[in-house]
Amino acid sequence: MTLKKPPIHPPIEAGESPLFYLKRLALLNHYDSHTWLYKNAEDRVSRNLSQLVDYLTEEDWTKQAEQDEAALRIFQLENFHLVKKARFCPICISEDKIWRATWHLKTSVTCVKHEVNLVDVCTTCCADTDLFKAKLHECVCGAPYGVQSTVRASKQLLELQRFIEDGAVPEQNREQLMPADHELTLEERVSLVSLFSRLTPNHDVKKTGTSTKLNSMQQALDALQDVARGLLGGKAMFIALLGVLQKMGGKGHKVDQLTIFYRSFYKEAKKACFQRYKDVLEAEITKRSVYATKRNSLFSEETINGNVWLPLKVASKEYSVAVSKLRLATKEGLIACDRQKKGGRTFSLIYRPHLETRLSFLLEQLNATEAAILLGVTKSQMQLMCNSGVFLSAVPPEPGRCSHWRIAKSEIVEYLKSLTPKKVKLMPKSILLPVAMKKYGGDIPNLFLTILQECRVGNLLSYLDDEALGIRGLVLCHRDLISLIKRITPDHHISATRMAGKLQLHPEFMSQLVKHKLIKSYETDNNSDERVIPLEFAHKFKTRFVIGAKLANVLEMSPRDLYRHLAELGIMPFDHDKNYKLRSKLYQRYQFVDAPMIYAYVRNLLDWNDVSF
Ligand SMILES: [Zn+2]
Ligand SMILES: [Zn+2]
């Protein structure tokens, strides 16, 4: 037994740091230092926290033996994975009053419970929080840790944190490279994140060392932004990161950074779950070897010469990135931003090294407007596509973070290609998608998405007239389209001739109705003049119009008497002000409000009583 049992000795909390549990015991018992809890001074743990876990486990009263295994595994990791400066979540400290074991990991930078960045420097006096000297509740300056100001964590960093803590992988889709059932241990996950962080660029252009990147929160936050995207951000982001490594060149070494990454990754990533990464890596290495360079071309002359801050608007122009995108990147911590006041106005200066290495991340993420332009669709069509889950990489708006959808550019490009799986340039009769939408879209719900889907599976022959136009230039085979429309509205189409029979109308009158679009119809696919009418259009016609002869029949009046009566009430037939004459008298149903005696019949559609459908 190495530890003393103090008078007040509550058990360790789930997930609590063993070191800070000791500090908590000392505070509860009014000891000056947690070292008083050791029986012998020589047993004191200085760095080896797994030793401390063993001591605590020996004591039944600590209930350390019942501690969740995940919290224990942290202290079995190599020492270089653990922090020397204490990190903490101020909100956890103020709410739960305990320090968490996960904060000992150098790769931990956010609190997933409160979604804020961890802190390792007192926000009042700027003092470091030394792991062993740190007090439980307050800084040396007296400022309570619980009230230190916090910064909201970016979505990417929270995803990375969940992956580190319990292996959770962001939403699975075609873009995600890490399978949900990866079976990586905590040590493997931490090593993987460290590997990525070692090789990604150092944005402090004056410093060259890379092994210390995770030691302080400031640097770790910066490095892990790249890691979170490259490792868990999906295929496109992984490729973007490889591009950055490629640009880093060789830095005076014999091999360039991409090759170093390639070798280290293969050494580290032995499990089957890395197959998708390797496939992408192989493809990129092959592509890039053509123009491989050993020169570091990551940073521009300006950056190298120390001209590292530039106004947001200038940056937007110089690097061709939308201002809104730059703003979002600064909000997410991807690009450092310095706000300066000058003559009553605030200027945003952004950090050029960040912009230069992360430009590919920014350009890869399109907002809905950019995506709509590239796709060649309207804003509302884009909305429809996003909502229906067509794009697997699409990130919905997040209140307070980002007000619009974001989609990977590579997926949009692939989507456009996927619309024309068969290579055809000739079809008997064609129709442009926007024209088709104008013609049929109003009557058939979801027609737009259905057409695109049918194109992709090859049921609807199509080609892109001009790739720059995107979907606006999608040419469809008209015959395929008509049969598609028939298919998605099954048993609801009837030929105009049969419709005339069903409604008991003279065929010539029927063709007049079709011709003047009083009853809507489609042309058929067999090149004849025959037209088809969806049943719903027939019903629309019946509710909108009254046929004089039918009404006279129901009222047991002669048609001539009825027409005269209606004319006296000012109810004129539909064609009286048209430049064509219909074969039968046709009225609009609403007109009959002026004929109170007849209105009850008309309102209840009794005029169509002898028609069975
Ligand atoms: Zn917290
Ligand atoms: Zn302080």
Side-chain angles (χ1 to χ4, degrees), residues 84-130:
K84 295 189 179 68
K85 265 162 93 175
R87 288 177 191 177
F88 60 91
C89 162
I91 310 176
C92 279
I93 301 255
S94 90
E95 281 181 5
D96 304 335
K97 314 265 187 290
I98 62 158
W99 288 62
R100 300 192 187 283
T102 49
W103 299 342
H104 284 276
L105 288 171
K106 276 187 193 173
T107 48
S108 283
V109 289
T110 61
C111 168
V112 290
K113 186 176 173 191
H114 300 108
E115 306 200 338
V116 294
N117 291 341
L118 301 183
V119 174
D120 69 349
V121 172
C122 171
T123 49
T124 305
C125 73
C126 297
D128 282 354
T129 46
D130 179 272

Side-chain angles (χ1 to χ4, degrees), residues 109-110 117 151-159 220-226 228-229 237 324-337 339 354 358 361-362 365 395-398 400-406:
V109 289
T110 61
N117 291 341
V151 175
R152 203 168 168 195
S154 75
K155 179 173 161 277
Q156 290 83 359
L157 287 181
L158 288 170
E159 284 174 353
L221 273 174
D222 190 38
L224 294 184
Q225 288 282 4
D226 286 321
R229 283 170 178 79
M237 291 292 160
S324 63
K325 230 183 237 189
L326 286 176
R327 288 233 164 84
L328 182 66
T330 62
K331 241 194 260 174
E332 283 183 340
L334 193 62
I335 294 179
C337 179
R339 290 199 172 76
H354 278 158
R358 289 164 176 171
F361 291 148
L362 294 188
Q365 279 255 301
V395 183
E398 296 159 83
R401 281 177 206 267
C402 179
S403 58
H404 48 70
W405 283 86
R406 284 175 284 169

Side-chain angles (χ1 to χ4, degrees), residues 483-540:
S483 62
L484 165 69
I485 289 173
K486 277 190 177 174
R487 206 156 9 96
I488 58 176
T489 48
D491 304 327
H492 281 278
H493 287 77
I494 183 166
S495 73
T497 320
R498 276 188 61 209
M499 181 68 76
K502 288 236 176 207
L503 295 179
Q504 297 172 22
L505 303 176
H506 192 280
E508 194 194 324
F509 182 47
M510 187 71 199
S511 59
Q512 282 183 320
L513 294 176
V514 166
K515 183 181 164 201
H516 298 298
K517 297 196 170 71
L518 299 177
I519 186 160
K520 274 193 167 187
S521 64
Y522 298 144
E523 56 200 272
T524 52
D525 48 356
N526 52 15
N527 289 330
S528 70
D529 291 338
E530 181 66 280
R531 298 186 70 91
V532 288
I533 300 166
L535 283 197
E536 53 176 303
F537 293 177
H539 287 295
K540 269 187 196 162

Side-chain angles (χ1 to χ4, degrees), residues 141-271:
C141 74
Y145 287 140
V147 299
Q148 304 264 338
S149 55
T150 53
V151 175
R152 203 168 168 195
S154 75
K155 179 173 161 277
Q156 290 83 359
L157 287 181
L158 288 170
E159 284 174 353
L160 184 69
Q161 188 70 32
R162 289 189 193 102
F163 173 72
I164 292 167
E165 286 184 20
D166 48 40
V169 177
E171 210 181 329
Q172 283 294 311
N173 57 43
R174 191 167 49 85
E175 284 271 304
Q176 180 54 256
L177 297 175
M178 179 64 77
D181 54 353
H182 54 71
E183 291 181 347
L184 294 174
T185 64
L186 174 77
E187 183 174 8
E188 287 166 326
R189 298 194 299 268
V190 166
S191 301
L192 188 65
V193 173
S194 303
L195 164 76
F196 271 68
S197 72
R198 272 199 307 281
L199 298 174
T200 49
N202 196 333
H203 292 102
D204 189 341
V205 282
K206 280 174 235 123
K207 284 189 187 158
T208 49
T210 50
S211 58
T212 59
K213 255 191 233 161
L214 299 179
N215 286 0
S216 73
M217 269 303 296
Q218 199 199 351
Q219 278 193 295
L221 273 174
D222 190 38
L224 294 184
Q225 288 282 4
D226 286 321
V227 179
R229 283 170 178 79
L231 182 61
L232 299 176
K235 185 177 160 190
M237 291 292 160
F238 183 56
I239 293 176
L241 181 72
L242 296 180
V244 170
L245 295 173
Q246 157 89 12
K247 278 191 183 165
M248 284 168 82
K251 280 198 223 159
H253 302 295
K254 285 204 176 84
V255 281
D256 67 302
Q257 192 76 348
L258 183 60
T259 311
I260 294 174
F261 176 81
Y262 181 82
R263 288 179 189 165
S264 335
F265 188 75
Y266 268 78
K267 220 158 114 193
E268 187 94 28
K270 293 228 163 69
K271 287 197 172 169

